[in-house]
Amino acid sequence: MPNTILVHREEPIAVVQLNRPEVLNALNEELMGELLLSLQQLDADDAVRCIVITGNEKAFAAGADIKETFVTATPVTMLAQDLTTKWEGIRKVKKPIIAAVSGYALGGGCELAMTCDIIVASETAQFGQPEVNLGIIPGAGGTQRLARAAGKYVAMELILTGRRFKAEEAKSIGLVAQVYPAASWLDDAKALARTIAEKPPVAVRLATEAIDLAFSSTLEAGLEFERKAFYLLFATEDKQEGVDAFVNKRTPVFKGR
Ligand code: DAK
């Protein structure tokens, strides 16, 4: 049983809740290890088609655990902890992951959200990359992913000042897909996950990979991948099902084959 997260299975979705409320879900080594393991297990589980990562109303995550991780850290101890392996492992999960943010998503918390495929937020959410206030910079992808989401000039202002910004601003800069009311944010995020879980899983996976390629390849290479993936989907049963359901005016049932 994990100590620092709670896993709620609500097939075909699963909700992984960060659970260190006494420190606003600060991301320590144990939590990152348990989070990675649970995501890998859910990724391998055919009954689960979409994953939600969330925290509680007050905090998604207030960043790396400053007291546990940074107080006595040296470059050598940071290297030995091999933090990057866990973050890379999360990035490699194939099933779509939605970050459902309420309250603080700061530093590594904001970066964890950006490691997911979609970010949605309660109107109470507060994002930020405040590392500069600690004499450091984002180290889990913040400079790269925020710049790709919001553009160079907005990312510069946010990261060089470390200021916090609210859900509506996060939406206006392209970081957040939807802002939900404080009373229903988690239910709304789960409804989004269920909508995605009803879609054909192979198409969802290839669309996710294609969109990610837009940020790590040339346009030419991305278009080439998209074309191949598009043709590949014509070999799936779910394509037959989707087209047949359209023609016969019925709701499709996708099986992931
Ligand atoms: N670490 C440890 N404890 C934290 C924490 C954190 N990040 N954030 C909050 N806490 C603890 C507080 O110390 C406090 O504990 P007690 O004093 O009660 O024992 C408790 O949570 C409640 O916090 P506050 O009393 O401060 O609550 P407030 O509402 O007054 O303020 C706050 C909330 C979120 C504004 C404030 O707590 C705050 O500024 N927290 C720090 C935010 C921050 O600077 N985050 C960025 C940290 S740097 C990497 C991977 C990850 C990273 C880097 C590299 N690799 C893969 C290489 C990530 C780096 C970071 O995230």
Side-chain angles (χ1 to χ4, degrees), residues 82-99:
D82 206 10
L83 297 168
T84 309
T85 308
K86 296 197 178 85
W87 288 78
E88 278 298 298
I90 293 171
R91 192 181 61 80
K92 285 185 182 147
V93 170
K94 297 294 182 194
K95 295 216 171 117
I97 306 181
I98 298 171

Side-chain angles (χ1 to χ4, degrees), residues 22-24 26 62-67 70 87 104 106 108 139-140 164:
E22 67 288 358
V23 286
L24 304 179
D65 191 317
I66 299 171
K67 296 181 222 165
F70 290 164
W87 288 78
Y104 298 115
L106 303 178
R164 299 205 291 263

Side-chain angles (χ1 to χ4, degrees), residues 4 22 24-25 29 57 68 78 81 87 92 103 108 112 117 150 158 172 199 201 215-216 220 241 245 248:
T4 60
E22 67 288 358
L24 304 179
N25 292 333
E29 209 181 345
E57 268 160 37
E68 189 181 307
M78 293 297 285
Q81 275 192 39
W87 288 78
K92 285 185 182 147
L112 177 61
D117 299 299
L158 293 172
S172 76
K199 305 297 177 197
F215 298 99
S216 63
E220 218 32 64
E241 170 67 5
N248 292 301

Side-chain angles (χ1 to χ4, degrees), residues 220-239:
E220 218 32 64
L223 290 172
E224 186 61 25
F225 177 87
E226 181 194 82
R227 236 178 338 257
K228 299 268 168 60
F230 176 76
Y231 296 143
L232 179 66
L233 287 163
F234 281 76
T236 61
E237 286 177 31
D238 281 347
K239 172 256 151 194

Side-chain angles (χ1 to χ4, degrees), residues 16 22 29 48 82 128 160 191 206 221 245 251:
V16 181
E22 67 288 358
E29 209 181 345
V48 173
D82 206 10
L160 301 189
L206 291 177
T251 306

Side-chain angles (χ1 to χ4, degrees), residues 10-207:
E10 300 173 26
E11 291 162 12
I13 71 167
V15 179
V16 181
Q17 184 182 4
L18 311 182
N19 192 33
R20 301 185 73 215
E22 67 288 358
V23 286
L24 304 179
N25 292 333
L27 306 169
N28 66 357
E29 209 181 345
E30 183 182 22
L31 184 149
M32 290 306 295
E34 291 182 345
L35 177 61
L36 174 59
L37 186 63
S38 76
L39 292 174
Q40 287 173 332
Q41 286 167 346
L42 294 169
D43 204 21
D45 184 338
D46 284 345
V48 173
R49 291 190 178 176
C50 188
I51 301 164
V52 176
I53 299 181
T54 194
N56 54 53
E57 268 160 37
K58 188 151 187 222
F60 178 75
D65 191 317
I66 299 171
K67 296 181 222 165
E68 189 181 307
T69 314
F70 290 164
V71 176
T72 57
T74 67
V76 175
T77 59
M78 293 297 285
L79 193 66
Q81 275 192 39
D82 206 10
L83 297 168
T84 309
T85 308
K86 296 197 178 85
W87 288 78
E88 278 298 298
I90 293 171
R91 192 181 61 80
K92 285 185 182 147
V93 170
K94 297 294 182 194
K95 295 216 171 117
I97 306 181
I98 298 171
V101 176
S102 175
Y104 298 115
L106 303 178
C110 188
E111 290 170 305
L112 177 61
M114 288 193 284
T115 306
C116 299
D117 299 299
I118 299 175
I119 306 176
V120 295
S122 157
E123 58 197 349
T124 67
Q126 287 198 49
F127 295 84
Q129 296 289 164
E131 289 86 344
V132 73
N133 299 322
L134 300 171
I136 54 176
I137 67 168
T143 60
Q144 303 306 296
R145 293 202 175 97
L146 191 59
R148 280 168 167 81
K152 169 179 169 176
Y153 305 102
V154 172
M156 284 282 184
E157 190 258 332
L158 293 172
I159 289 173
L160 301 189
T161 63
R163 80 171 167 87
R164 299 205 291 263
F165 53 101
K166 294 188 176 155
E168 277 305 336
E169 184 174 354
K171 184 158 192 293
S172 76
I173 64 172
L175 185 63
V176 156
Q178 298 289 341
V179 178
Y180 298 133
S184 63
W185 64 278
L186 189 52
D187 287 338
D188 293 338
K190 288 200 258 181
L192 173 64
R194 271 186 224 103
T195 300
I196 294 170
E198 282 169 9
K199 305 297 177 197
V202 184
V204 166
R205 174 169 168 177
L206 291 177

